[in-house]
């Protein structure tokens, strides 16, 4: 194929200008694409998507689905406000290295993030993925203690936590599928859940969970931790909802022991949990806040590491450059910043956090009755994240597959099934998610 014909095909058209042949598209994928986090036996081309609009997507055969599987799409697909902002920035200034200069979108986005937080959170470092954001947070915490002249290394995390796929991040998780040959890249104390995941959201689980963290924090008086790093909702670790008061209690423990609190809000920020940030549910502030997915609604990759001024200011003491020795040439990419600013406009203008709270509660009310029926052991959630836990991972996989057959795309963290629709979904769409889930559960029982 010559360059011109290849270009036409890349625009979604065949050489003759017609719709691409689904078999050809799938065969190309099977031949050339190495899919992330997938067994080699899995054929991901089975579901090959062609386009999206609002909370729906269509595959290359023209089949329509409600997308309740994408973690990033807080404001849906093809939102005109975001598309227009991205196009405008692409034509104006598509890149410049923030280690050499600045540009307006980076300043506007950092300012916008700080406007959601108290004034001590004026500084944000931009990177390109949630993984990079968490790794940067760990590097920053390490630097903070080094600059104070009291080096610390140990990190306390949930054993079931997931913080990304770089070498440092993989050491932070105790999940078997995340383990790797270089573990541990740094000393980590993993905290196991004191009760099964389905029981953790109950108020009576708070005391044993906080005691487990207290033991981990105080495990070795000669080796105090540099940071506690947690997600406000364990996503990959099984759709685990933490008991009310946990973040508040944890932040008090951190204050009492002088430990930095890093919150991984890569998934939970920007409306998903019914607030701009999940930590605002308990009026808790971390020392370092990492956000990503919903920040740009998945339109262009970006992550933000927003830090307390007192953490930032210690970096004047860095012995080599007197600042942070971390970043990427694409950090704070102007198009990503423009996508994020437009996404945040949508989150604010369309009241997406309030909508997530309202529709999420409705879904839980309606589907709560499934708990204890057939293979369903628990129904829980937070904001617009609905979790249906099943008796086994195989049962969960079966439910996801039946739902897909009915036109609903879901996620499957272990024994749980998660519905994570776009926050722009309307009441009718949310009722359809509930209808299809009920039908998929019922089909499994018959
Ligand atoms: C809580 C959390 N932290 C970190 C990450 C890693 O983000 P990324 O996949 O953008 O590297 C994820 C991804 O799912 C996540 O859910």
């Amino acid at each position: 194929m010559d360059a011109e014909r290849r270009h036409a095909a890349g625009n979604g058209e065949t050489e003759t200008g017609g719709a691409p042949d689904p078999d050809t598209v799938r065969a190309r994928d099977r031949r050339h694409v190495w899919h992330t986090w997938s067994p080699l036996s899995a054929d991901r081309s089975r579901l090959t998507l062609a386009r999206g609009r609002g909370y729906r997507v269509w595959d290359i055969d023209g089949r329509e689905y409600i997308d309740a599987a994408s973690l990033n799409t807080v404001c849906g697909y093809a939102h005109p406000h975001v598309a227009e902002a991205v196009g405008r920035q692409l034509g104006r200034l598509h890149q410049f290295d923030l280690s050499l200069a600045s540009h307006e979108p980076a300043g506007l986005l950092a300012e916008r993030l700080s406007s959601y937080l108290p004034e001590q959170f004026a500084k944000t470092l931009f990177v390109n993925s949630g993984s990079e954001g968490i790794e940067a947070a760990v590097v920053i915490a390490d630097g903070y203690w080094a600059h104070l002249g009291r080096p610390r290394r140990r990190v306390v995390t949930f054993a079931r936590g997931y913080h990304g796929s770089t070498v440092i991040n993989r050491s932070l998780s105790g999940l078997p599928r995340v383990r790797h040959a270089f573990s541990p890249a740094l000393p980590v104390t993993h905290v196991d859940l004191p009760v099964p995941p389905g029981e953790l959201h109950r108020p009576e689980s708070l005391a044993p969970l906080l005691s487990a963290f207290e033991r981990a924090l105080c495990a070795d008086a000669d080796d105090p931790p540099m940071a506690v790093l947690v997600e406000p909702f364990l996503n990959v670790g099984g759709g685990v909802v933490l008991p009310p008061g946990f973040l508040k209690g944890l932040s008090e423990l951190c204050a009492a022991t002088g430990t930095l609190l890093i919150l991984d809000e890569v998934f939970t920020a920007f409306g998903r949990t019914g607030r701009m940030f999940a930590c605002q549910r308990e009026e808790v502030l971390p020392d370092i806040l990492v956000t990503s997915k919903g920040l740009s609604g998945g339109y262009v990759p970006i992550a933000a590491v927003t830090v307390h001024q007192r953490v930032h200011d210690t970096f004047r003491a860095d012995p080599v450059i007197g600042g942070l020795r971390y970043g990427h040439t694409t950090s704070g990419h102007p198009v990503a910043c423009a996508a994020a600013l437009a996404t945040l406009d949508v989150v604010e203008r369309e009241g997406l956090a309030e909508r997530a709270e309202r529709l999420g509660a409705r879904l839980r009310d309606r589907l709560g009755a499934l708990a204890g029926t057939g293979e369903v052991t628990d129904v829980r959630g937070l904001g617009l994240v609905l979790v249906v836990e099943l008796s086994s991972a195989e049962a969960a996989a079966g439910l996801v597959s039946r739902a897909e057959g009915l036109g609903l795309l879901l996620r499957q963290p272990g024994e749980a099934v998660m519905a994570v629709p776009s926050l722009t979904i309307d009441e009718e769409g949310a009722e359809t998610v509930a209808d299809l889930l009920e039908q998929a559960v019922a089909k499994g029982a018959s």
Side-chain angles (χ1 to χ4, degrees):
M1 211 192 282
D2 63 33
E4 203 171 315
R5 287 153 77 207
R6 209 178 295 125
H7 185 239
N11 281 345
E13 294 174 356
T14 61
E15 292 163 61
T16 52
D21 166 47
D23 290 340
T24 307
V25 174
R26 290 198 170 94
R28 186 187 300 126
D29 177 285
R30 286 196 294 270
R31 204 172 317 122
H32 295 296
V33 181
W34 195 342
H35 284 268
T36 51
W37 294 104
S38 295
L40 292 188
S41 56
D43 176 12
R44 298 295 185 220
S45 76
R46 207 180 39 77
L47 177 68
T48 295
L49 297 161
R51 66 191 178 91
R53 180 158 290 271
Y55 58 85
R56 296 189 177 86
V57 288
W58 286 263
D59 71 13
I60 45 169
D61 302 308
R63 261 193 301 268
E64 180 181 313
Y65 303 88
I66 291 183
D67 174 20
S70 295
L71 300 170
N72 299 44
T73 52
V74 291
C75 61
Y77 291 88
H79 198 292
H81 182 62
V82 186
E84 199 261 329
V86 167
R88 195 170 354 106
Q89 190 59 44
L90 268 175
R92 194 177 275 171
L93 178 81
H94 80 277
Q95 70 94 41
F96 210 91
D97 185 344
L98 283 188
S99 72
L100 305 176
S102 195
H103 48 72
E104 193 179 17
L108 286 173
L109 183 57
E111 178 186 60
R112 177 76 79 91
L113 290 172
S114 72
S115 76
Y116 302 136
L117 294 159
E119 61 182 353
Q120 305 91 319
F121 291 85
K123 291 289 195 305
T124 290
L125 169 81
F126 292 115
V127 288
N128 303 304
S129 66
S131 297
E132 291 172 5
I134 296 296
E135 183 160 300
V138 171
V139 168
I140 289 168
D142 178 60
Y144 169 81
W145 289 109
H147 302 146
L148 293 184
R150 289 179 270 138
R152 294 185 181 193
R153 235 344 88 80
R154 189 163 64 92
V155 179
V156 175
T157 65
F158 274 111
R160 272 178 178 258
Y162 175 75
H163 302 287
S165 56
T166 66
V167 168
I168 283 186
N169 300 7
R170 297 177 80 151
S171 299
L172 298 170
S173 175
L175 293 171
R177 73 196 299 254
V178 183
R179 209 176 290 136
H180 67 96
F182 304 117
S183 277
L186 75 175
V188 178
T189 305
H190 286 130
V191 176
D192 289 311
L193 303 188
V195 297
E199 290 173 25
L200 202 71
H201 54 101
R202 298 182 188 159
E204 57 271 26
S205 301
L206 178 62
L209 185 60
L210 282 176
S211 299
F213 270 87
E214 189 170 10
R215 281 195 299 279
L217 276 163
C218 305
D220 183 351
D222 297 328
D223 182 22
M226 71 176 182
V228 175
L229 164 58
V230 294
E231 303 154 80
F233 164 87
L234 309 189
N235 163 26
V236 179
V240 182
V241 178
L242 304 171
F246 170 68
L247 289 182
K248 184 110 199 127
L250 186 64
S251 98
E252 284 164 10
L253 274 177
C254 286
T257 54
T259 310
L260 292 179
L261 176 59
I262 305 174
L263 279 187
D264 178 347
E265 291 230 25
V266 164
F267 166 57
T268 50
F270 309 116
R272 175 61 64 190
T273 67
R275 301 287 189 282
M276 195 53 112
F277 304 109
C279 60
Q280 290 171 334
R281 295 188 77 88
E282 298 190 5
E283 293 174 10
V284 165
L285 285 167
D287 298 287
I288 304 176
L289 176 66
V290 185
T291 56
S292 180
K293 301 182 187 301
L295 175 57
S296 65
Y299 281 87
V300 187
I302 187 167
V305 186
T306 303
V307 300
H308 194 288
Q309 196 73 39
R310 89 188 141 84
V311 174
H312 169 270
D313 290 350
T314 65
F315 278 77
R316 282 185 216 293
D318 170 76
V320 182
I321 65 166
L324 179 65
R325 285 178 277 130
Y326 194 88
H328 312 279
T329 46
T330 48
S331 283
H333 193 272
V335 181
C337 290
L341 284 160
T343 300
L344 296 175
D345 288 344
V346 175
V347 170
E348 288 181 46
R349 282 184 208 159
E350 299 187 15
L352 297 188
E354 297 76 22
R355 187 195 291 235
E357 184 76 356
R358 184 165 44 82
L359 293 182
R362 217 146 106 185
L363 282 176
R364 288 194 297 283
D365 273 357
R366 199 180 138 183
L367 295 173
L370 288 177
T373 65
E375 298 165 317
V376 178
T377 55
D378 188 41
V379 175
R380 55 183 181 262
L382 186 66
L384 199 42
V385 186
L386 180 78
V387 181
V388 177
E389 190 171 276
L390 289 103
S391 50
S392 66
E394 292 69 36
L399 178 57
V400 170
S401 161
R402 291 192 298 279
E404 186 184 314
L406 295 168
L408 174 66
L409 302 180
L410 300 167
R411 295 188 79 81
Q412 190 217 332
E415 288 153 15
V417 167
M418 258 167 53
V420 197
S422 160
L423 306 187
T424 53
I425 197 165
D426 52 19
E427 336 263 291
E428 195 193 327
E431 291 300 328
T432 309
V433 168
D435 290 342
L436 296 176
L437 252 167
E438 274 176 352
Q439 287 172 34
V441 168
K443 271 187 164 204
S446 61

